[in-house]
Amino acid sequence: MGKRDYNLLGPDAQRAVQTGLAAAQWYHSDVPRREMKELMQRSDGPAIRDTVILLVALAAFAALGIALWPSYWAIPFWLAYGVLYGSAMDSRWHECGHGTAFKTPWMNTAVYEIASFCMMRNSATWRWSHARHHTDTVIVGRDPEIAVMRPPVFFKVLANFVGLFDAASGLTRMVYNALGRVHPEEAVYIPTQEQHKVIRVARISVAIYGLTIGLAIWTGSILPLMVIGLPRLYGAWHHVMTGLLQHGGLADNVTDHRLNSRTVYMNRVSRFIYWNMNYHVEHHMFPMVPYHALPALHAKIKHDLPAPNLSIAQGFAEMWPALRRQLANEDYFIQRALPPTAQPYRTDFHAAALGSATR
Amino acid sequence: MPHWIDACATGDIDAEDLIRFDHANQTFAIYHAPEGDFYATAGQCTHEAVHLCDGLVMGHLIECPKHNGQFDYRTGEAKRAPVCAPLRTYPVKVEDGRVFIDVDA
Ligand code: FES
C-alpha cells in the first residue's frame, strides 16, 4: 500500500469508500443469541461501586497532596491522583460514551461529561469520533482515533506518555471551538444539527480552565492546576501505555477485529484503571457488552481469537519491534496465529489492502 | 388498503426481544415488548446500514449493536446519539398466535 494519508478528507479516505472498506461488514465470532443477551444486560451496581472508589480515591489523594505540599512527601499522592485523573478518566469517558457502564442513562451522561473534561476532550465531538472509530476501526483516512500512524513518530508517541501532544491539540481545539468554529475534519463526522453542542461544551471548558488559571495566579500557587489540568499530563502514562496496545503494530485496512486489535491480560489495578478494555478484540466485536461482562465474553469466544498477550510487558515486547520495523516499511504488521478452533481470518473483503510483509 | 404479511408466530420472539424479518427486498425488525405487545420497525438503523436484530431490547428501547444508538421501537423516535433520524414503524396485528405486519404502511 505504501504511503498512508490519515487525513479524513484525503485520498485514502476516498479510496476506502470506493473499495468498500468504509462502513463494511465486520467479522463476528458466533455467540448464541440467548447468551449474548445475557452478556449485554446492563446494571448500575459495578459502575456505581467503581465510580465511588474512583471519586473517593481522587478526593483523598488530592487532599493528601495539598496537605503535604510543597514537601517531597506529596509526590506519591499526586502521582496516584494523576493516574486516576489522566488515565482512569479515559476509560470512563470511553465506557460511558458507549452508554454501557451504567444502566441508568443520566449516570452514563454525568460520568461521561466529567471524564471528557478531565481528558481535555470535547464531549460532543468525541462521541461522534468514537462512533467512527467503531465503524471504520484503523481504516486509514476514515478512523479519527488511530493512536500510532505509520510510519510511527516515536517522539510524539513518547511525548504523549506525559500528554504533551494530546493536551496541546485538545486545548487548541477547545479554544478554536469556543470561538464558535467547528473544524472541517470534525464536520465530516459530526451531523450539522449537533455541531452547536461542540461550541457550547468548548465554552464551558474554557471557562473552567480560565477560572483555574485565574485562581492559580491569584493565590500565586500552581496547586489549583495540580488539581485541574496538569494531571492530564503527569497522569497520562497509563492510558497511553494501554491505549497503544489496543491496535499498535497490528493490521490496518482490514475488516476483522482479530487482525487489528489486541487483547492483553493485565493486573487488577490496571484493569480497574482501564475498566477491562484490555479485552479489546471482544469490545470491538461486541460494543454492546458492558465492561464488567467482558471477561465472561472473553471466556466464551477465546477459542476463536488469537492467543491474548499475557501481560502489558509481553504486549509491548510484541508491539514495539513491529512499530520500529514500520519506520522502514509502512506495510509491515503483526499477524498472529489463530488457534485450530478458530474460524480463519476473513481476508476476502480486504485482501487488496493487506501488505505482503508479515511476521 | 393494508397489506398484511404473516411474519412469525408469537412464540418465535422471547419477551423483551426482537427478530429479523425479510420480505420482498425489505428488512424489518419485529419486537415483543415486556408487557406482551408486538411492534415492527424498519430493520436497519438510521445511523448506518446496520441491522438492529443483534441489538438489545430494554423496555421499549432498542439499542443498536454498532454504536449503542437507541430508538423507542413503538414510535421510532431516536432516543440516544449517534442516531438522530427516527426509525420507520409499521402497524402490527396478532391473530391466532401469528404476528402480521402491514408492510405497505
Ligand atoms: S449504526 Fe446504529 S447507532 Fe450507529
Side-chain angles (χ1 to χ4, degrees):
Chain A
M1 177 177 171
K3 202 97 201 106
R4 284 155 171 78
D5 184 338
Y6 290 89
N7 189 323
L8 301 188
L9 302 165
D12 280 13
Q14 284 172 15
R15 195 179 56 174
V17 173
Q18 284 159 6
T19 60
L21 270 176
Q25 295 282 349
W26 287 67
Y27 175 79
H28 292 102
S29 300
D30 269 344
V31 180
R33 173 78 184 158
R34 287 226 163 103
E35 292 176 28
M36 184 47 68
K37 269 171 59 185
E38 283 290 305
L39 290 164
M40 290 191 292
Q41 287 313 310
R42 305 295 153 76
S43 64
D44 286 331
I48 288 177
R49 177 201 63 209
D50 290 347
T51 305
V52 168
I53 293 171
L54 178 65
L55 295 179
V56 168
L58 275 166
F61 289 136
L64 288 162
I66 292 167
L68 294 168
W69 185 265
S71 97
Y72 287 123
W73 293 107
I75 291 175
F77 298 107
W78 286 120
L79 290 178
Y81 176 79
V83 159
L84 296 183
Y85 185 113
S87 286
M89 285 300 180
D90 173 64
S91 60
R92 275 59 180 174
W93 160 81
H94 175 265
E95 269 300 275
C96 295
H98 277 284
T100 48
F102 297 90
K103 182 174 185 172
T104 307
W106 72 261
M107 295 185 189
N108 281 314
T109 305
V111 175
Y112 177 73
E113 291 295 334
I114 293 166
S116 300
F117 172 80
C118 293
M119 296 309 296
M120 296 183 181
R121 291 175 191 153
N122 188 306
S123 58
T125 307
W126 281 72
R127 192 181 285 289
W128 297 96
S129 80
H130 196 65
R132 176 65 79 83
H133 173 62
H134 272 269
T135 302
D136 295 324
T137 310
V138 203
I139 303 290
V140 176
R142 294 284 298 176
D143 183 349
E145 295 184 5
I146 297 178
V148 196
M149 297 176 181
R150 304 188 199 175
V153 181
F154 280 97
F155 168 68
K156 206 169 165 183
V157 170
L158 294 172
N160 267 334
F161 275 85
V162 285
L164 287 185
F165 281 92
D166 285 347
S169 71
L171 288 172
T172 310
R173 188 57 61 86
M174 190 191 306
V175 172
Y176 181 93
N177 292 149
L179 292 171
R181 293 177 293 183
V182 171
H183 193 276
E185 278 205 346
E186 293 171 332
V188 170
Y189 54 80
I190 307 173
T192 314
Q193 70 271 29
E194 294 288 306
Q195 292 180 5
H196 69 280
K197 293 182 185 166
V198 173
I199 292 161
R200 189 183 65 206
V201 169
R203 288 178 175 161
I204 293 169
S205 297
V206 165
I208 298 172
Y209 284 114
L211 283 172
T212 310
I213 292 167
L215 187 63
I217 293 170
W218 185 55
T219 57
S221 165
I222 196 181
L223 258 185
L225 289 162
M226 289 296 287
V227 179
I228 294 175
L230 287 178
R232 172 65 181 84
L233 305 182
Y234 67 77
W237 64 271
H238 191 282
H239 97 263
V240 175
M241 175 182 75
T242 50
L244 288 174
L245 288 172
Q246 292 177 352
H247 308 288
L250 301 175
D252 61 10
N253 292 335
V254 295
T255 54
D256 186 333
H257 291 112
R258 300 174 301 172
L259 283 164
N260 70 9
S261 307
R262 182 183 278 110
T263 286
V264 183
Y265 291 152
M266 288 182 190
N267 64 79
R268 287 180 72 89
V269 174
S270 284
R271 279 178 47 204
F272 173 80
I273 294 168
Y274 195 24
W275 250 11
N276 280 347
M277 280 305 124
N278 52 310
Y279 297 105
H280 213 66
V281 182
E282 293 83 348
H283 167 66
H284 267 282
M285 255 191 208
F286 300 106
M288 307 271 294
V289 175
Y291 77 97
H292 50 80
L294 285 177
L297 173 60
H298 172 69
K300 262 191 214 315
I301 65 170
K302 67 181 179 192
H303 66 275
D304 197 33
L305 310 182
N309 295 95
L310 298 176
S311 66
I312 294 172
Q314 201 221 12
F316 264 80
E318 175 189 84
M319 175 186 71
W320 204 256
L323 296 181
R324 289 180 55 142
R325 282 185 68 167
Q326 286 174 354
L327 279 176
N329 176 8
E330 277 192 40
D331 288 338
Y332 177 76
F333 63 92
I334 303 160
Q335 182 165 314
R336 294 150 315 160
L338 285 168
T341 47
Q343 293 290 325
Y345 282 127
R346 192 180 145 166
T347 52
D348 48 333
F349 262 32
H350 52 250
L354 282 174
S356 54
T358 61
R359 188 160 80 171
Chain B
M1 183 70 181
H3 182 190
W4 294 106
I5 297 293
D6 183 346
C8 62
T10 52
D12 288 344
I13 319 176
D14 290 347
E16 208 168 7
D17 202 5
L18 80 162
I19 60 165
R20 173 179 181 146
F21 172 64
D22 296 330
H23 174 77
N25 294 327
Q26 282 182 286
T27 187
F28 304 90
I30 306 178
Y31 307 82
H32 186 177
E35 65 276 11
D37 294 335
F38 289 83
Y39 296 89
T41 70
Q44 290 202 330
C45 183
T46 59
H47 177 227
E48 288 175 7
V50 170
H51 210 285
L52 295 166
C53 63
D54 291 324
L56 179 65
V57 176
M58 291 177 284
H60 297 122
L61 296 176
I62 170 66
E63 185 170 295
C64 174
K66 189 73 180 176
H67 308 110
N68 312 81
Q70 293 180 342
F71 301 93
D72 185 327
Y73 57 77
R74 297 169 302 177
T75 61
E77 188 188 352
K79 300 294 273 188
R80 183 179 189 278
V83 296
C84 299
L87 195 58
R88 187 163 172 195
T89 58
Y90 295 86
V92 169
K93 68 176 183 181
V94 176
E95 280 178 9
D96 300 328
R98 304 291 306 175
V99 179
F100 295 81
I101 68 174
D102 178 3
V103 294
D104 286 348

